[in-house]
Amino acid sequence: MLTINLGIIGGGTVGGGVYQALKKNGSLMASRLSVRFRIAGIAVRNPRKKRLPHIPQSLLTKDWKSLVQNPKVNLVVELMGGTTTARTVVLEALKLGKSVVTANKALICEHGEELFSASEKYGANIYYEAAVAGGIPIIKVLRESFSGNRVQSIHGILNGTCNYMLCQMRESGLDFKTALQQATDLGYAEADPTLDVDGYDALHKICILASLAHGHWIDSSKTHVEGIRNILPLDVHFAQSLGYSVKLLGVVKTTSIEKKGIRPRIQVAVHPTLIPLDHVLASVNGVFNAVYLKGDRVGDSLLYGEGAGANATASAILSDLGDAALDHAFGSHRRVPPFVPHSESGSILPQSETVSPFYLRLSVVDRPGTLAKIAAILAESEIGISSVMQPEGHEGKSVPLIMMIHDAREASMNQALKKISRLKVIKAPPVLYRVENFID
Ligand code: NAP
Ligand code: HSE
């Protein structure tokens, strides 16, 4: 039986999960794949730190470089996070012709092109199933299972921390800080949780999916990102009473069909979104992620599973270990390259040009004529109102005024909001969320 010696860099939530998963299911994998995995070492910052699950001291080292360079190590597993040392670790491994398994979406999103070309140059491969949507095998699905489809849209709940927090805030009335602490304690949040709550982690993931779907590497700095930091329980509550759930959604849409040399424009963004309560994504709760994908052959499909945490992520890593080991065994380490640019290249549609319905909440003075003033400004910009709600029972100087807005261009909406904000009857900055009704 072939033995693959692993050099694991990182023994935190995911590294510990992989250690435990191999302990529990390593022999099952060996019986299925005829490959035995042996951990040669696990590099960490502080080998003396107390770890759960416990990792024997004999496996721990501070010296990731020696572990990567160890001639016995034939597969490097990068689970340290970040984009600086992690990039060096991966490049170092590739230069030695060693393939790499990583869960690091920030690294793949920001340095993917460089790392993929290094892997080609040095005859190695990069496997990154765990980088997107935890235990859901979405990379394999997009790259292999749906290779016969033109992907028309992807809507993804891609951050377990945010989805968990939004559910806890809605169902248990937790405040933002407590909900984030719980997500951190459960091992869902990034070492820097601002990546989660400000939407960047989901952005890294949706950019990877958009790149695989459209065949050209998406520059995440050209895409729109908004996190969940400013979502108030008030808006979650109002959305619910209007028949919507609020989710942090990653969105990829093709806005025009490729024809006669016209390149498709692709909308790629992450933002809080109101989705109908009867849509399947509305029932994705807690740490669960889901990817709702429309292909021109397959139609609608949904992938669902735990999006973060030690076990779900370890499941994706083990799947990559299996692929890497079989590629190694059959000498076909580039059977499925990490990313293949193809003809569906296109440009990113600026967010200001996107069109969608909106949820708008204004804090207004409760006085006759207020609604007329606001409606007049919206009408000037040819923005239609589909419904208005002024919940009763609010005291004080201002009351909430909620408007559901028909399809509108984002630039027109922002322009109108600037004018509305200047009205004397407006008492706080407007709150605006996009609505997704999943209608083509
Ligand atoms: P983590 O718990 O913070 O673990 C990071 C590990 O890397 C720790 O063991 C740390 O050592 C080690 N490390 C950091 N810098 C190092 C250095 N310079 N040299 C040697 N070791 C170093 O992070 P994590 O949650 O496991 O996440 C790891 C990666 O997986 C990240 O890229 C993350 O985005 C990704 N990911 C995480 C999840 C999840 O649910 N947590 C899911 C999917 C993907 P010490 O233990 O001594 O501090
Ligand atoms: N922090 C990430 C999340 C980990 O909460 O989704 C999984 O990628």
Side-chain angles (χ1 to χ4, degrees):
M1 187 178 292
L2 173 74
T3 297
I4 296 283
N5 290 306
L6 305 174
I8 302 181
I9 318 301
T13 302
V14 182
V18 170
Y19 170 78
Q20 197 169 39
L22 281 174
K23 228 171 108 178
K24 289 198 176 217
N25 292 354
S27 41
L28 173 72
M29 280 186 86
S31 64
R32 282 180 172 155
L33 306 175
S34 297
V35 179
R36 186 185 299 118
F37 295 101
R38 192 186 140 265
I39 298 177
I42 302 180
V44 293
R45 255 180 315 224
N46 174 12
R48 299 270 149 219
K49 191 159 124 183
K50 203 165 175 241
R51 289 170 201 282
L52 271 177
H54 171 73
I55 300 176
Q57 277 297 317
S58 57
L59 286 180
L60 295 174
T61 171
K62 266 171 104 164
D63 185 359
W64 65 260
K65 210 168 203 165
S66 301
L67 185 56
V68 169
Q69 290 172 347
N70 179 344
K72 284 196 182 136
V73 165
N74 33 23
L75 186 59
V76 171
V77 186
E78 183 281 304
L79 302 174
M80 73 194 303
T83 53
T84 314
T85 314
R87 174 175 162 270
T88 313
V89 167
V90 174
L91 284 172
E92 186 84 18
L94 296 173
K95 279 180 194 159
L96 295 166
K98 299 183 185 187
S99 290
V100 174
V101 173
T102 179
N104 193 333
K105 49 273 167 151
L107 182 70
I108 295 294
C109 178
E110 289 172 22
H111 300 290
E113 282 188 300
E114 178 198 16
L115 300 176
F116 299 153
S117 81
S119 75
E120 190 172 3
K121 181 171 170 191
Y122 298 109
N125 205 343
I126 300 177
Y127 305 82
Y128 54 97
E129 186 61 78
V132 182
I136 303 175
I138 185 63
I139 302 293
K140 205 184 255 287
V141 163
L142 259 184
R143 216 167 36 177
E144 300 176 44
S145 318
F146 286 174
S147 62
N149 276 267
R150 283 170 201 277
V151 176
Q152 294 162 324
S153 63
I154 303 174
H155 292 90
I157 294 174
L158 296 172
N159 187 271
T161 300
C162 289
N163 206 45
Y164 176 85
M165 288 175 67
L166 287 173
C167 290
Q168 289 300 314
M169 286 157 74
R170 188 188 65 224
E171 284 161 19
S172 312
L174 288 195
D175 61 47
F176 181 92
K177 210 172 143 196
T178 314
L180 177 55
Q181 190 55 53
Q182 281 194 359
T184 305
D185 294 345
L186 288 162
Y188 303 156
E190 295 299 301
D192 171 6
T194 60
L195 288 169
D196 295 295
V197 297
D198 291 330
Y200 289 96
D201 177 78
L203 186 72
H204 293 145
K205 293 166 177 169
I206 200 72
C207 285
I208 294 172
L209 297 187
S211 304
L212 288 172
H214 289 284
H216 59 103
W217 204 246
I218 303 287
D219 179 352
S220 63
S221 68
K222 294 202 175 118
T223 57
H224 180 82
V225 58
E226 271 170 60
I228 64 162
R229 203 181 278 278
N230 298 321
I231 295 182
L232 295 179
L234 183 79
D235 292 306
V236 175
H237 171 76
F238 288 147
Q240 186 114 11
S241 60
L242 288 161
Y244 293 94
S245 176
V246 182
K247 295 288 183 192
L248 184 71
L249 218 58
V251 179
V252 183
K253 284 185 192 174
T254 312
T255 55
S256 62
I257 313 284
E258 189 179 27
K259 55 181 177 192
K260 288 194 184 157
I262 302 171
R263 295 183 345 155
R265 303 185 83 196
I266 303 155
Q267 179 184 344
V268 184
V270 168
H271 44 67
T273 312
L274 270 67
I275 60 176
L277 283 171
D278 61 3
H279 191 271
V280 65
L281 287 180
S283 50
V284 175
N285 289 319
V287 72
F288 280 86
N289 279 193
V291 183
Y292 183 73
L293 186 148
K294 196 185 277 286
D296 67 344
R297 301 295 99 198
V298 70
D300 291 342
S301 78
L302 178 77
L303 290 105
Y304 171 82
E306 290 192 26
N311 290 331
T313 313
S315 164
I317 296 282
L318 261 53
S319 153
D320 276 350
L321 293 185
D323 274 354
L326 291 179
D327 288 348
H328 185 86
F330 292 103
S332 59
H333 56 269
R334 294 192 63 82
R335 182 185 56 87
V336 183
F339 175 69
V340 181
H342 56 81
S343 60
E344 301 276 307
S345 64
S347 57
I348 299 285
L349 181 76
Q351 187 66 20
S352 57
E353 289 180 36
T354 63
V355 172
S356 76
F358 290 94
Y359 161 98
L360 171 64
R361 178 171 60 79
L362 300 167
S363 295
V364 301
V365 176
D366 195 9
R367 167 187 314 155
T370 297
L371 181 57
K373 283 180 188 150
I374 296 162
I377 294 176
L378 290 171
E380 257 173 48
S381 303
E382 299 186 358
I383 293 169
I385 303 166
S386 57
S387 67
V388 177
M389 180 170 96
Q390 187 164 7
E392 294 200 358
H394 287 265
E395 293 175 0
K397 287 190 178 150
S398 64
V399 292
L401 178 68
I402 291 137
M403 293 178 159
M404 298 303 286
I405 305 287
H406 280 302
D407 266 351
R409 241 178 100 238
E410 194 146 328
S412 315
M413 198 64 217
N414 288 335
Q415 228 171 9
L417 280 191
K418 261 192 200 160
K419 289 187 193 163
I420 290 173
S421 302
R422 286 199 289 266
L423 293 174
K424 283 212 173 91
V425 291
I426 300 293
K427 292 298 167 198
V431 172
L432 187 71
Y433 292 123
R434 295 156 195 88
V435 177
E436 178 61 70
N437 287 316
F438 301 94
I439 299 162
D440 290 330

